[in-house]
Amino acid sequence: MKKLFAVLGDPIGHSMSPLMHNDLFSFYKMDAHYHPLQVKAESLEDAVRGLKAIGIAGFNVTVPHKSTIIPLLDGIDELAGEIGAVNTVVNENGKLIGYNTDGPGFLAGVKDYIPSLTGKKVLIIGAGGAARAIYFTLVKNGPQRVDVSNRTVEKALKLVNECTKSISSNALSLDQAGKRLEEYDIIVQTTMIGMYPIINEQPLSLSNLNENAVVYDIIYNPLETEFLLKAKQKGAKIKNGIDMFVYQGALAFEKWTGVSPDVGRMRQNVLKQLGGTRC
Ligand code: ATR
């Protein structure tokens, strides 16, 4: 019988996950289908119960359900618990188990460019859901320091105080981070500043950027944000959010099927789609 997969969110029309996963199912000749499901916050509990009843094989979870789904599942793994958010659910013998592949997806993309994080100094800009996923993944992978800078400093402080690893982590205002920018080897922009349609904004000044730094922006529409454009002009290496999106999907696919998919194929597919829909 055809296996059913889905992504739950509201809105959901913009999601590129169905295209990405359905292409993989057909490429690997798997009898499976991935469907976008628009689920309102107040219907989430009913939706999860219904999906479990019909024996869904797995699903992704996106805005605004990544945290509120947790009590509706049969269990979550340790990283998802630390992050406080689930983006991937696997039906394991009738039990719905939640995982978070956003942070590991980011890390997998980083490893293509920076094979080891040992000794690196990292700055994360933002302290929301995406920043939490990246923060809790990075602190486990060897950097010397992971600082968090946010418009609301209290939120950055709350995040670094939740860390149980013995790693140096400071909470900074955006202004403080801008002044100390030359200290960092890796800078990760996780806010929505610069995302289509308000594309000519950036969260902080890059005038003190170290030209040897690698600058990430998890946004992929536009493919090159104002922040990345300025970083490139300063001579830094830049990376957009395509890889994080593709790798989080690849890790979910692997959890569902046991197959490690062709990431290059997934990236091409998403880029083709973005090329058709961008401004
Ligand atoms: P996500 O789950 O996508 O990370 P989120 O949890 O709503 O989204 O977090 C959004 C992040 O972008 C936060 O760090 C937010 O800063 P605050 O905590 O101060 O709200 C940041 N952000 C959003 N709009 C911003 C702006 N105009 N200037 C600076 N930071 C902004």
Side-chain angles (χ1 to χ4, degrees), residues 126-131 150-152 155 174 190-193:
N150 196 40
R151 173 177 63 180
T152 313
K155 220 160 120 191
L174 295 175
T190 73
T191 76
M192 60 283 277
I193 301 170

Side-chain angles (χ1 to χ4, degrees), residues 185-189 206 209-210 213-217 227-228 231-232 236-240:
D185 305 301
I186 303 169
I187 295 165
V188 190
Q189 196 306 105
L206 286 169
L209 180 68
N210 178 341
V214 183
V215 179
Y216 286 82
D217 196 323
F227 192 66
L228 289 186
K232 190 165 79 175
K237 278 204 199 71
I238 60 167
K239 288 294 293 167
N240 64 27

Side-chain angles (χ1 to χ4, degrees), residues 54-273:
I54 61 162
I56 190 142
F59 56 94
N60 283 130
V61 185
T62 189
V63 177
H65 307 313
K66 284 186 179 186
S67 298
T68 47
I69 195 154
I70 291 177
L72 307 175
L73 299 174
D74 298 307
I76 58 169
D77 86 333
E78 187 190 324
L79 179 64
E82 285 175 323
I83 296 168
V86 159
N87 79 322
T88 301
V89 176
V90 185
N91 187 333
E92 298 177 8
N93 303 316
K95 298 228 177 297
L96 297 181
I97 308 297
Y99 298 89
N100 191 307
T101 68
D102 285 331
F106 175 76
L107 184 68
V110 168
K111 290 211 158 150
D112 284 348
Y113 286 80
I114 307 171
S116 167
L117 291 175
T118 305
K120 300 281 191 250
K121 297 186 189 112
V122 184
L123 175 71
I124 295 175
I125 301 169
R132 290 182 66 86
I134 291 170
Y135 177 78
F136 283 108
T137 307
L138 287 184
V139 294
K140 293 184 176 62
N141 281 277
Q144 186 192 110
R145 206 166 95 205
V146 183
D147 291 348
V148 179
S149 163
N150 196 40
R151 173 177 63 180
T152 313
V153 192
E154 295 73 29
K155 220 160 120 191
L157 194 60
K158 181 176 172 294
L159 177 53
V160 302
N161 282 341
E162 283 177 48
C163 182
T164 54
K165 297 272 163 219
S166 55
I167 182 171
S168 166
S169 252
N170 302 304
L172 307 167
S173 68
L174 295 175
D175 200 39
Q176 285 168 326
K179 287 187 180 130
R180 295 172 52 174
L181 218 53
E182 67 199 343
E183 295 174 22
Y184 299 100
D185 305 301
I186 303 169
I187 295 165
V188 190
Q189 196 306 105
T190 73
T191 76
M192 60 283 277
I193 301 170
M195 194 191 294
Y196 179 80
I198 308 168
I199 58 170
N200 54 358
E201 291 185 358
Q202 60 183 88
L204 52 79
S205 159
L206 286 169
S207 52
N208 295 323
L209 180 68
N210 178 341
E211 62 178 33
N212 297 314
V214 183
V215 179
Y216 286 82
D217 196 323
I218 68 163
I219 292 171
Y220 51 78
N221 189 7
L223 290 169
E224 205 166 285
T225 58
E226 184 74 13
F227 192 66
L228 289 186
L229 197 68
K230 291 274 163 53
K232 190 165 79 175
Q233 284 164 0
K234 295 279 289 181
K237 278 204 199 71
I238 60 167
K239 288 294 293 167
N240 64 27
I242 289 279
D243 279 359
M244 178 175 171
F245 175 69
V246 165
Y247 275 108
Q248 66 74 32
L251 292 170
F253 189 86
E254 193 172 348
K255 282 189 185 303
W256 294 327
T257 65
V259 173
S260 173
D262 179 344
V263 175
R265 180 184 176 90
M266 296 168 78
R267 189 187 289 114
Q268 281 314 317
N269 209 350
V270 171
L271 279 171
K272 198 164 79 189
Q273 181 77 0

